[in-house]
Amino acid sequence: MSDERKDVRAPGAAMGPGGTSAARPRLTAPRIVDMKRRGEPIVVVTAYDFPTARIADEAGVEILLVGDSLGTVVLGYENTLPVTVEDILHHTRAVVRAKPSALVVADMPFMSYQVSDEQAILNAGRMIQEGGADAVKLEGGERVAPAIRRMVEAGIPVMGHLGLTPQSVLAFGGYKVQARGEADQERLLREAALLEKSGCFSLVLEGIPARLGGLVTRAIGIPTIGIGAGAQCDGQVLVSHDLLGLYLGHQPKFVRRYAALGEAMREAFGRFTADVKGRRFPSDAESY
């Protein structure tokens, strides 16, 4: 892995009071765990490219997730299943080039860890060694616990993921809220404890009742990162394209849009088109 990412960086430093740039220490997996102990909320967004990573880092985001959600919001797939290891590596490298202070977590895509523990650790190692990620994320509970233990033993920080796991969308029959029944809730609590015991430093909880999100958060010692899991989680994550209003597909209930960049882009492209058609661009001032 390149040594370009130091513990403190200036170019993409977080914005301090009054909009001034202030360098911040590099975020690591142990520091993320310490944030839970201090009761400090953890901010996570997805990033798939250099500019998004740099801007999010400057805004103070603590974890940049190179999610397999890139399949739907960037690559145009109907779900995340077609995303490959090479896709994640490509986008992780772009994010890492921004030299963020934020922790960079690379998603393990479908079929990159399900076949065997050996396959899982080799692909996780590629995310760290070739992609430059600080950690990996994979979906599932008991069935992936042995692979997680192997990764952690090899020195790879791992983020878990329970609840609505998008790579199981076909088995679920769609994107549906999970663990509504008592038995399913008890199983999720057990699996959360198992993932902590297996060495995960944090755990994404997606698409579960808010009450259950709170129960899991209080039951384990590692941070929970919620996405449609209620306000009691230790942190929250949103897909950047949802947050920015760039994704034109279905908007889940848990999404809050903080901008309407898709509309702004459409207007800008339309004005450019009109100016070119009307021979108003380029002007003399924009010509050599």
Side-chain angles (χ1 to χ4, degrees):
M1 177 178 165
S2 171
D3 64 354
E4 292 179 340
R5 298 177 66 200
K6 305 299 183 182
D7 283 343
V8 178
R9 61 181 288 265
M15 299 305 290
T20 58
S21 180
R24 61 172 177 166
R26 281 283 315 284
L27 273 294
T28 62
R31 284 178 175 168
I32 296 298
V33 176
D34 285 340
M35 291 180 71
K36 179 185 178 95
R37 295 171 183 155
R38 297 195 305 267
E40 184 178 351
I42 301 164
V43 183
V44 187
V45 300
T46 62
Y48 317 104
D49 55 48
F50 176 93
T52 302
R54 181 156 183 174
I55 293 168
D57 190 59
E58 290 174 352
V61 169
E62 280 121 1
I63 299 178
L64 297 172
L65 173 62
V66 187
D68 61 1
S69 49
L70 75 89
T72 53
V73 301
V74 175
L75 302 179
Y77 297 132
E78 291 186 3
N79 53 48
T80 65
L81 301 182
V83 176
T84 67
V85 169
E86 297 304 325
D87 290 333
I88 297 291
L89 283 172
H90 175 83
H91 289 271
T92 299
R93 293 185 191 107
V95 167
V96 168
R97 288 187 197 110
K99 301 182 179 67
S101 297
L103 188 82
V104 177
V105 179
D107 231 340
M108 298 284 289
F110 183 60
M111 296 309 296
S112 68
Y113 58 94
Q114 289 93 339
V115 174
S116 68
D117 295 348
E118 287 71 23
Q119 177 214 40
I121 195 169
L122 285 171
N123 283 325
R126 292 189 68 193
M127 298 299 177
I128 305 298
Q129 190 173 47
E130 299 177 34
D134 300 308
V136 300
K137 181 180 77 66
L138 64 162
E139 300 178 1
E142 184 175 358
R143 63 181 174 82
V144 298
I148 290 173
R149 287 192 288 269
R150 291 280 303 276
M151 293 175 191
V152 173
E153 289 168 359
I156 301 172
V158 179
M159 174 184 282
H161 187 155
L162 292 175
L164 172 54
T165 48
Q167 291 176 18
S168 300
V169 62
L170 299 181
F172 290 157
Y175 296 98
K176 302 176 181 178
V177 175
Q178 299 297 302
R180 290 191 182 275
E182 183 176 347
D184 289 337
Q185 293 186 8
E186 290 177 355
R187 184 177 70 252
L188 193 144
L189 279 163
R190 288 196 305 270
E191 291 197 315
L194 175 61
L195 291 184
E196 178 183 14
K197 185 177 180 180
S198 299
C200 285
F201 74 91
S202 61
L203 175 60
V204 171
L205 297 175
E206 180 171 358
I208 62 173
R211 175 181 170 278
L212 180 58
L215 287 174
V216 175
T217 300
R218 291 187 293 273
I220 62 178
I222 58 175
T224 58
I225 308 299
I227 177 166
Q232 297 180 59
C233 294
D234 298 302
Q236 300 291 334
V237 57
L238 281 179
V239 172
S240 56
H241 286 60
D242 289 337
L243 184 158
L244 298 171
L246 281 171
Y247 182 56
L248 305 180
H250 171 70
Q251 179 177 316
K253 178 181 180 180
F254 57 74
V255 169
R256 180 183 296 181
R257 285 192 172 179
Y258 287 82
L261 300 193
E263 296 173 14
M265 289 172 64
R266 187 181 295 109
E267 179 186 357
F269 290 142
R271 290 169 55 197
F272 174 65
T273 298
D275 283 351
V276 171
K277 293 292 187 181
R279 299 193 180 278
R280 294 184 296 273
F281 177 86
S283 66
D284 290 344
E286 293 158 331
S287 301
Y288 293 102

